[in-house]
Amino acid sequence: MQPTLTPEEEAKKKAIYEKIAPRRRKFIDKMGYDNWDPFQKPLEPIDIRIDTSKRTSQQLMRDFLQSLPPDKPLSTDYSQGAWELCVGVVNGSARFKGMFDFVQWYAKILEKEGMLDEFKNFK
């Protein structure tokens, strides 16, 4: 739920709502007029969003790719997967946080069972 609006903001909100096409109003009505915030700030463009380490997604990917052994073959799927996870982490997506937590948990299991190197060398 959004914070309480001043009478001036409420008047602007009503004016915006009345100018919106009926089809778009259905969407707002479905979420609830009171929950609709026409004044919410847009997200930063992806190229200037930063993660916990204060790096952009491009910086993270560059650093990650440079950290790989030079002889490691990179497939398109590998690069795309790394990029998707990178962007998801920078955006703070719960979906990618779940993936990150699972991968950490799985790596601990493989290390405990002595199979981590085998997994890393899997082709």
Side-chain angles (χ1 to χ4, degrees), residues 44-67 83 85-92:
E44 294 177 358
I46 188 65
D47 56 333
I48 60 172
R49 292 184 200 165
I50 56 174
D51 74 330
T52 307
S53 70
K54 307 290 188 238
R55 292 180 179 91
T56 65
S57 53
Q58 288 84 3
Q59 290 170 323
L60 284 169
M61 275 306 291
R62 184 190 63 234
D63 293 349
F64 170 69
L65 292 173
Q66 288 176 351
S67 75
W83 175 247
L85 190 56
C86 175
V87 171
V89 168
V90 170
N91 287 337

Side-chain angles (χ1 to χ4, degrees), residues 28-47:
I28 294 168
D29 293 340
K30 193 180 284 188
M31 88 164 68
Y33 178 84
D34 292 335
N35 295 327
W36 174 58
D37 183 7
F39 311 115
Q40 76 184 55
K41 303 271 189 254
L43 294 174
E44 294 177 358
I46 188 65
D47 56 333

Side-chain angles (χ1 to χ4, degrees), residues 70-87:
D71 61 334
K72 182 172 180 72
L74 297 179
S75 68
T76 303
D77 281 346
Y78 183 92
S79 298
Q80 282 180 332
W83 175 247
E84 287 176 29
L85 190 56
C86 175
V87 171

Side-chain angles (χ1 to χ4, degrees), residues 114-123:
M115 300 172 78
L116 187 57
D117 288 335
E118 184 180 330
F119 178 79
K120 287 180 180 180
N121 295 323
F122 181 72
K123 299 198 187 231

